[in-house]
Every structure is written in structure tokens, then in C-alpha cells.
Amino acid sequence: GAVVSQHPSRVICKSGTSVKIECRSLDFQATTMFWYRQFPKQSLMLMATSNEGSKATYEQGVEKDKFLINHASLTLSTLTVTSAHPEDSSFYICSARDLLAGGADTQYFGPGTRLTVL
Amino acid sequence: GQNIDQPTEMTATEGAIVQINCTYQTSGFNGLFWYQQHAGEAPTFLSYNVLDGLEEKGRFSSFLSRSKGYSYLLLKELQMKDSASYLCAAMDSNYQLIWGAGTKLIIKP
């Protein structure tokens, strides 16, 4: 099956610093990648949709200047949390869209990045 | 509006069968997905249904009724490792996934 990697898996940073998270599709090309965040015991919340070579589409309530997304190639998307604050502490998960046999597309998830802002 | 409903939590016994239901309302429909998520980990893909009927894949099966806006995930011969959250997600006309809150499945010996 399709494999998506994410780096780093865990990061602890000080308030006010920036953190970059990488998402890579390892064995397929992903024209579209998605960034989610998940708080404890809650479901996934879509933050933005990242299309290769174009600007990301952000969901309502997500600050595009705070969560910078770059999708420079068909296998790499990055999320930069700028000027991080403790309330940004969360589990950030990326996914990449791939086609199943038969044409249906689904999303395969990276392992997630647990961000803790002190 | 768009909405996905599934039970918050279910409990079952090792070796038994459990059915997790999901109802959905979306703007357009391009398929229904089930994902498994263990605590602290990202979701993993289990199944996809776009046509009515039952799709069987080993111990797991998924059913869809488009006319009723209803799906279920059936887990047979439950094992302790099946303890996880099961997320139902429907794809709308814009090919966006609308996620349910997840069903936490607790397996008891």
C-alpha cells in the first residue's frame, strides 16, 4: 500500500519559535496533500489542502500566516507553525491522496507529529 | 449541513463480533471510508464503499446503503489488538472527506 512519512515524530519547542513539519509520499506521487490536527479524544480537523505548485486552501478559522504550507514537489509538503504558542500543542497529521484500484481515491496518513510548545 | 454520526464508544468481548454503525449527510457523495486509529497514532485505511452492498476483507467487512445514508463496519473474531478508535468518513461532491468523531472500541478478554 501507499506509504507516507512524516518528520519529526515529536518536537518540543519554546513559545515564539517556529517549527517545520515535513510530509513525504514515499512510493507514489501525491498531487494533493492534507494537513490535519487532532486534539486528545477528538476526531481529525482538516486545516488545509495542499496542491502541488499552488497555494494551499485553508479551512475556515485556520490562520494562513501562522500555518505556512509549501507543496513544492509531488512527494513533499511542509507545514511551518510560526511563532508557536502553547495552544498550538497538538497532534499534526498529514495525508496524501492516492488512487485505489478502480479509480476511487483515498487518503493515506503519515504517522503524525506531536508538537509540544512550552 | 454535512454531518457524520457514529457511536462514541462500544465494548465487545474477545472472539465475538461487533458492528459499528455510521450515518452520514453530505453535499454529494463520492464514497464512504473506514479508518482505524490506535491511541497516539495516525489513522490507517480499512475500507472504501461507493456502491450499495457488503465488501468483505478478511475479518473486517463494510456495508453501505446510499439510499439510507448508512454504513457499518463489521469486525469478526475480535482480537485484543482491535481495541482502537474507528473513524467513519464520507467524501462529498468536492472530494473532501467529512469525518465522524470516531467510535472507541474496547475489547474485553
Side-chain angles (χ1 to χ4, degrees):
Chain A
V3 179
V4 177
S5 71
Q6 200 171 328
H7 177 79
S9 58
R10 289 179 181 272
V11 58
I12 301 173
C13 69
K14 292 183 179 180
S15 186
T17 60
S18 295
V19 174
K20 180 186 280 189
I21 303 170
E22 292 187 351
C23 178
R24 295 180 185 272
S25 56
L26 297 185
D27 51 2
F28 66 101
Q29 293 183 329
T31 54
T32 304
M33 290 184 170
F34 304 86
W35 287 96
Y36 294 86
R37 64 190 297 181
Q38 186 177 34
F39 292 106
K41 299 183 179 180
Q42 295 186 24
S43 190
L44 304 171
M45 187 194 83
L46 179 65
M47 298 176 67
T49 302
S50 169
N51 292 297
E52 185 265 338
S54 64
K55 291 184 179 180
T57 302
Y58 290 81
E59 296 300 302
Q60 194 171 9
V62 179
E63 298 176 57
K64 62 180 181 181
D65 294 330
K66 180 170 181 62
F67 299 99
L68 301 178
I69 292 173
N70 184 278
H71 193 158
S73 77
L74 287 172
T75 59
L76 173 64
S77 176
T78 61
L79 167 68
T80 302
V81 182
T82 62
S83 187
H85 289 282
E87 56 264 32
D88 298 325
S89 299
S90 187
F91 192 44
Y92 291 86
I93 313 172
C94 73
S95 70
R97 175 178 277 164
D98 190 21
L99 291 177
L100 296 172
D105 76 87
T106 189
Q107 294 179 30
Y108 291 92
F109 286 85
T113 297
R114 187 158 304 282
L115 171 64
T116 303
V117 184
L118 303 177
Chain B
Q2 308 201 100
N3 191 50
I4 306 286
D5 283 318
Q6 55 181 130
T8 304
E9 186 174 296
M10 298 183 71
T11 302
T13 304
E14 190 177 15
I17 299 173
V18 70
Q19 177 174 311
I20 303 174
N21 296 323
C22 170
T23 57
Y24 64 90
Q25 288 179 303
T26 55
S27 301
F29 181 73
N30 281 297
L32 192 291
F33 298 81
W34 284 96
Y35 286 83
Q36 180 191 61
Q37 185 177 26
H38 285 99
E41 298 180 12
T44 55
F45 171 74
L46 289 178
S47 68
Y48 169 77
N49 295 67
V50 69
L51 300 177
D52 286 353
L54 187 68
E55 295 276 346
E56 296 186 76
K57 193 185 293 185
R59 293 190 299 115
F60 293 5
S61 302
S62 56
F63 171 83
L64 176 68
S65 168
R66 295 179 63 144
S67 62
K68 295 181 180 178
Y70 167 71
S71 173
Y72 68 72
L73 180 69
L74 190 71
L75 293 78
K76 302 176 184 177
E77 301 170 16
L78 286 171
Q79 301 175 9
M80 297 303 293
K81 67 178 182 179
D82 297 329
S83 293
S85 285
Y86 291 85
L87 305 174
C88 172
M91 184 170 278
D92 68 10
S93 57
N94 294 320
Y95 296 94
Q96 295 279 30
L97 283 178
I98 311 301
W99 293 89
T103 298
K104 182 178 180 181
L105 177 62
I106 300 169
I107 310 294
K108 294 185 175 180

